[in-house]
Amino acid sequence: MEQGNKKLEFVHRLREQMHDLQIMFSYRGNLSHEVMLALLAMTDKKLEMEGSEKSLRAKVFNVVVECMQNLTMQYDVRSTQMAPLFMIGKEEKGYLVFSGNTVNAENVRTLKNNLLKINTMTKDELKEFHKVWLQSVRFSNASDAGLGLIDIARKTGNKLDFDFEPLDDGNYYFSLCTAISEGREQRSGEVIKIKDLHGIMQDNDVSLMYDGEFSQEFTKSMLAFMERKFISDELEDSLRRKIFNIMVEILQNLSKHNYQGEKTGKDVSSAFMIGYGEEDYFIISGNPILQTGVEALRAKIDQVNELDKDGLKQLYKEVRLQGKFSEVSGAGIGLIDIARKSGQALEYDFSSLDEELSFFIMLSRISKNSTNTNN
């Protein structure tokens, strides 16, 4: 019997939202200096994978830096309802950068007025306003983001799309969307579209999600990001190593065993998500597999889930010695290893894409209590 079928429905909804908005990856959580540097490195690697021109990559990178700095300057640590948000998406002629953070209610009016003012200015007017700002601290003190917002508008040549959503604690969630593209027709409303996506992430405790190609280099940059994130969160060493080792195993499986057949008209990209609740961390992977391999993979996971700690240890030894159990849909000894390291049963789901392919989702939980064991 499939485990977690209903529980994992949110993964499909997140992927659908990401595809609709062309989001490449998204991060929700606190931004320490170390996390920012790692997130910037991952962004740069993803842009390089996309084959973007150097001039465009440099412009996107500069805007991302400004957005992250704004997030750290404006975030109201007194509000715990909504964590800071960063997303980067792709569009026909360039990229979109989304950011979100909580701001004090008393700053909203001034911040909104400054944004409206920036959006009415021409390139030359923005340049002059930039000079004026440097000579005045009033704008900076009122908005905590004056220079950065002006710089973003100057560098992109596009108007800033923004929204303020009232929160229960009297503060507001400030969302900002910046387009980095040439010859783009002015549009508004993109920032509203990310609310559902952010809401699903928030409701299901998702911290990082990525959907796309898993090259070896990008996998390394993602692992480096999560390592810095864990250190910044001050995770206990044994728990950090356990999560990291399971992440390595899952990401290696995604990069090695993704379906490489001809496209069938369906999106067959792989997905990776990580998050945490009050009791555990969880890692989710999703990848297309051939329909012919579904039942065998299901049987292997069920077999793994039926075993206790000693049974998994014995099965692991047998598989290592005999070399069996592993040639179906890219699954095998990795499943056993993940179950052993996590100490919990694997949750999974299969969703048919078409006659040829099914999308396989697997969730591994790691208890924050390091003494937790399997079964």
Side-chain angles (χ1 to χ4, degrees):
M1 177 179 178
E2 294 183 12
Q3 299 188 36
N5 197 342
K6 291 183 179 180
K7 295 179 186 177
L8 296 177
E9 286 179 357
F10 77 91
V11 179
H12 296 292
R13 288 190 287 130
L14 277 174
R15 292 189 70 242
E16 288 173 2
Q17 293 275 6
M18 288 185 75
H19 292 169
D20 289 345
L21 296 171
Q22 298 188 69
I23 301 297
M24 295 186 293
F25 68 84
S26 176
Y27 169 71
R28 184 187 67 87
N30 292 327
L31 285 170
S32 67
H33 180 68
E34 292 75 17
V35 170
M36 281 179 57
L37 290 176
L39 196 54
L40 286 169
M42 192 164 69
T43 300
D44 191 50
K45 181 58 64 176
K46 179 59 180 176
L47 294 175
E48 183 180 332
M49 285 172 57
E50 292 290 318
S52 304
E53 294 182 1
K54 288 186 177 180
S55 59
L56 179 59
R57 282 167 51 194
K59 186 178 289 188
V60 174
F61 190 83
N62 288 334
V63 170
V64 169
V65 169
E66 294 286 359
C67 287
M68 288 188 184
Q69 288 177 340
N70 284 342
L71 286 176
T72 57
M73 285 191 296
Q74 296 174 30
Y75 180 52
D76 180 12
V77 296
R78 293 173 297 176
S79 177
T80 58
Q81 287 190 57
M82 301 271 284
L85 174 73
F86 170 79
M87 296 185 187
I88 183 165
K90 193 173 182 181
E91 61 173 21
E92 184 178 355
K93 297 180 181 180
Y95 295 91
L96 294 173
V97 176
F98 301 94
S99 62
N101 59 282
T102 305
V103 295
N104 293 333
E106 57 265 29
N107 289 333
V108 170
R109 178 178 294 181
T110 303
L111 181 55
K112 184 183 294 185
N113 288 338
N114 288 331
L115 285 160
L116 291 171
K117 184 175 182 179
I118 289 171
N119 279 345
T120 64
M121 292 182 174
T122 64
K123 183 178 180 180
D124 290 338
E125 288 172 335
L126 283 169
K127 183 177 181 180
E128 184 61 28
F129 190 34
H130 184 267
K131 292 179 181 178
V132 172
W133 185 92
L134 290 174
Q135 299 171 0
S136 171
V137 297
R138 179 182 60 81
F139 189 96
S140 177
N141 289 341
S143 70
D144 290 331
L147 183 61
L149 294 172
I150 300 169
D151 275 345
I152 291 171
R154 291 180 65 201
K155 289 171 181 174
T156 65
N158 291 311
K159 298 187 185 302
L160 306 178
D161 187 15
F162 62 90
D163 179 67
F164 292 92
E165 179 183 359
L167 300 176
D168 293 340
D169 60 5
N171 291 308
Y172 285 77
Y173 199 78
F174 168 45
S175 301
L176 180 71
C177 174
T178 306
I180 307 101
S181 57
E182 299 291 339
R184 183 180 191 265
E185 294 183 5
Q186 182 58 40
R187 301 194 300 270
S188 62
E190 272 98 346
V191 73
I192 304 299
K193 297 175 184 177
I194 70 171
K195 285 188 175 180
D196 287 343
L197 179 58
H198 189 197
I200 300 172
M201 290 183 70
Q202 183 89 10
D203 292 344
N204 293 280
D205 301 315
V206 176
S207 179
L208 175 74
M209 59 183 186
Y210 171 77
D211 193 289
E213 178 187 352
F214 283 84
S215 69
Q216 185 175 9
E217 289 303 312
F218 185 75
T219 297
K220 287 180 180 178
S221 67
M222 185 179 290
L223 287 169
F225 168 75
M226 291 309 306
E227 177 71 5
R228 291 198 184 188
K229 168 66 175 170
F230 294 150
I231 293 173
S232 177
D233 289 347
E234 299 182 346
L235 262 68
E236 189 232 356
D237 286 348
S238 61
L239 177 59
R240 188 172 76 241
R241 286 195 298 270
K242 182 181 291 187
I243 298 171
F244 191 81
N245 288 338
I246 293 172
M247 252 184 65
V248 169
E249 187 71 52
I250 289 174
L251 286 171
Q252 286 178 342
N253 284 343
L254 285 174
S255 61
K256 289 180 181 178
H257 303 303
N258 188 27
Y259 174 74
Q260 298 295 325
E262 182 179 351
K263 299 275 185 176
T264 61
K266 299 283 187 179
D267 193 304
V268 292
S269 59
S270 295
F272 174 85
M273 302 177 192
I274 187 166
Y276 53 92
E278 293 183 2
E279 298 181 356
D280 56 30
Y281 282 80
F282 60 86
I283 302 172
I284 298 172
S285 63
N287 62 284
I289 65 169
L290 293 172
Q291 293 278 20
T292 54
V294 169
E295 292 308 315
L297 180 54
R298 189 199 311 274
K300 291 181 188 303
I301 299 175
D302 288 344
Q303 179 183 353
V304 167
N305 283 344
E306 290 172 358
L307 299 174
D308 59 13
K309 182 179 179 180
D310 292 336
L312 286 170
K313 184 177 181 180
Q314 182 61 35
L315 179 61
Y316 184 83
K317 289 180 180 179
E318 292 175 1
V319 172
R320 288 291 298 270
L321 290 172
Q322 299 175 10
K324 298 179 180 179
F325 195 84
S326 61
E327 295 302 323
V328 178
S329 305
I333 197 167
L335 294 174
I336 307 170
D337 211 22
I338 292 168
R340 290 180 66 204
K341 289 172 180 175
S342 69
Q344 300 196 50
L346 304 174
E347 301 173 36
Y348 67 90
D349 178 45
F350 293 99
S351 177
S352 179
L353 296 175
D354 53 34
E355 293 181 357
E356 183 182 7
L357 297 175
S358 184
F359 196 78
F360 165 54
I361 296 173
M362 184 177 73
L363 182 150
S364 175
R365 297 187 183 276
I366 306 98
S367 173
K368 292 182 178 180
N369 178 4
S370 60
T371 62
N372 184 72
T373 57
N374 185 286
N375 293 3

